[in-house]
Amino acid sequence: MSEERIEAENEIKSEDNDVLIECDGLVKIFKTTEIEVMALQGLDMVIKKGEFLTVIGKSGSGKSTLMNIIGGLEKPSAGRIIVDGRNLSDYTEKEMVEYRGKTVGFVWQNSNRNLYPYLTALENVEAAMCFSGRKKSEKKERAMELLSLTGIDHKKDSIPAQMSGGEQQRVAIAVALANDPKLLLADEPTGAVDSKTSDMLQDLFRKLNRMLGITIIIVTHDMKLADKTDRVIMISDGKISTEKIMKEKYRQEFDKLSDDDLNFNIHEEYSVMDKAHRVQLSEDILKEAGIDGNKVRITVEDGKVVITH
Ligand SMILES: Nc1ncnc2c1ncn2[C@@H]1O[C@H](COP(=O)(O)OP(=O)(O)OP(=O)(O)O)[C@@H](O)[C@H]1O
Ligand SMILES: [Mg+2]
């Protein structure tokens, strides 16, 4: 890419104030003594401020790797990631610690990773407030507010072992919000709870997104939960292959929709074209079209792109 073009692109980006995250050609290679795994293979993505989206994909497709890079826990091997106008690779070690603590809140599948087992719910939230700049008394007040926001204030004096999995996750979400982050990252937060509880947690994420305007990215295996978010990104082999975007009319009316409504197709599905104009075709489409070789013909007929073998 020429220098002029890079400059021009940067100018456009800096003006685009509603973008929170931009990933350009993200590559992540894990090297062990025997093998090299390419967990992300040139992933491009833009996430706007206030979006509520899920990431889905098969096991090993790179979902957690992407979340860890966005959260500043892993560095990409190549490509760049810009969050809130700053390239994460420009951060010093100290700034990175602050970024992880202040800009991002994490919720993990395993509550041992979210909560200190020997602290009460209230103490867990207070302990997480190290970047909030609040005084001790203010911390307690805010921690109570967050526990009531996530619907678990009645368990404020319980330790995790005295709570159900769903209750622990409500505390974990309050912990993740402790420093008023711009971004909430949740890697399979409902993976260890039953489907009714996971439904309730998903509704809680939606409420927080709508009430606080916080950007939320959730990794899930559960398509039913994914369909309750505004955008569903499907990763295959370390790249985004398809996206489903909730139709505007449903987005506005979402809170009035019943579970039956959700069975309708309330999203529109798109294939994603990367910057080099590549589109990935799913196994299902190839099978249906009877394409099994590695060469296809591409033509344009009546303004439509046609792929034949
Ligand atoms: N620290 C690591 N060292 C070596 N390989 C890794 C490491 N982390 C992830 N990988 C590999 O990178 C690939 C992507 O892993 P990742 O954890 O991102 O997948 P995932 O989509 O989150 O899968 P799951 O649904 O099972 O959680 C996998 O092949 C995995 O084995
Ligand atoms: Mg994972």
Side-chain angles (χ1 to χ4, degrees):
M1 205 188 292
S2 72
E3 275 182 27
E4 292 85 2
R5 178 138 169 242
I6 291 174
E7 253 173 44
E9 282 203 352
N10 283 343
E11 266 170 38
I12 293 165
K13 271 158 204 156
S14 58
E15 278 170 22
D16 205 351
N17 278 331
D18 57 348
V19 170
L20 182 65
I21 302 169
E22 189 174 340
C23 301
D24 277 336
L26 275 191
V27 173
K28 179 69 188 179
I29 299 168
F30 289 109
K31 283 191 189 126
T32 57
T33 38
E34 290 121 51
I35 45 161
E36 255 186 27
V37 178
M38 208 164 167
L40 295 180
Q41 309 197 15
L43 182 138
D44 300 320
M45 174 174 79
V46 173
I47 294 177
K48 292 200 169 149
K49 288 179 184 159
E51 270 206 78
F52 179 38
L53 67 119
T54 35
V55 177
I56 58 167
K58 287 189 191 144
S59 181
S61 57
K63 304 180 297 294
S64 296
T65 306
L66 173 64
M67 296 290 263
N68 290 341
I69 290 179
I70 296 174
L73 296 168
E74 300 267 11
K75 284 201 156 88
S77 312
R80 62 176 190 170
I81 167 159
I82 297 167
V83 180
D84 215 12
R86 261 193 90 181
N87 190 330
L88 290 196
S89 62
D90 293 342
Y91 280 85
T92 62
E93 238 356 89
K94 194 168 159 251
E95 285 174 323
M96 205 55 177
V97 172
E98 198 167 308
Y99 170 81
R100 285 196 289 261
K102 216 170 158 178
T103 309
V104 191
F106 292 96
V107 182
W108 308 100
Q109 173 175 350
N110 187 338
S111 68
N112 293 338
R113 198 169 172 188
N114 292 317
L115 304 174
Y116 294 112
Y118 46 85
L119 295 184
T120 65
L122 184 64
E123 288 163 350
N124 260 291
V125 184
E126 284 178 281
M129 287 183 173
C130 43
F131 291 101
S132 67
R134 291 189 172 93
K135 288 195 225 114
K136 201 166 185 299
S137 59
E138 290 170 351
K139 278 186 184 172
K140 188 167 184 185
E141 199 178 315
R142 179 66 181 149
M144 274 309 294
E145 271 173 26
L146 289 173
L147 289 174
S148 97
L149 188 65
T150 60
I152 194 71
D153 43 336
H154 57 287
K155 289 274 185 176
K156 68 178 172 52
D157 297 321
S158 303
I159 59 165
Q162 296 164 332
M163 288 183 259
S164 70
E167 289 170 341
Q168 290 176 21
Q169 287 306 62
R170 284 179 188 271
V171 179
I173 296 168
V175 165
L177 295 173
N179 298 306
D180 308 305
K182 292 188 173 155
L183 175 63
L184 192 60
L185 299 175
D187 197 348
E188 302 202 37
T190 64
V193 297
D194 62 42
S195 66
K196 196 166 154 234
T197 309
S198 78
D199 238 11
M200 282 187 325
L201 288 172
Q202 191 78 350
D203 290 342
L204 173 60
F205 280 119
R206 168 168 287 278
K207 178 179 114 175
L208 296 172
N209 167 256
R210 297 297 191 257
M211 272 178 68
L212 308 175
I214 186 171
T215 308
I216 303 184
I217 311 176
I218 302 176
V219 170
T220 183
H221 272 113
D222 187 338
M223 269 316 293
K224 199 167 148 252
L225 291 189
D227 279 345
K228 286 183 155 193
T229 55
D230 300 334
R231 182 149 73 114
V232 186
I233 286 174
M234 156 88 105
I235 299 195
S236 1
D237 299 328
K239 271 187 163 197
I240 293 173
S241 55
T242 56
E243 268 191 35
K244 292 206 292 181
I245 299 172
M246 195 184 282
K247 293 173 193 161
E248 194 53 42
K249 60 176 175 178
Y250 292 111
R251 190 186 299 218
Q252 281 163 9
E253 297 279 307
F254 190 86
D255 294 332
K256 296 182 201 147
L257 298 181
S258 68
D259 271 1
D260 282 345
D261 293 325
L262 286 170
N263 291 332
F264 282 107
N265 212 351
I266 64 169
H267 292 81
E268 275 170 312
E269 186 160 340
Y270 297 89
S271 289
V272 175
M273 194 185 293
D274 73 10
K275 291 203 167 149
H277 305 153
R278 284 176 296 222
V279 177
Q280 198 170 10
L281 300 177
S282 72
E283 293 289 342
D284 293 345
I285 287 181
L286 292 177
K287 217 168 162 186
E288 208 179 324
I291 298 174
D292 56 5
N294 67 352
K295 286 196 176 54
V296 290
R297 282 179 202 283
I298 298 177
T299 50
V300 179
E301 290 169 23
D302 295 333
K304 290 184 181 138
V305 178
V306 178
I307 303 176
T308 42
H309 55 109

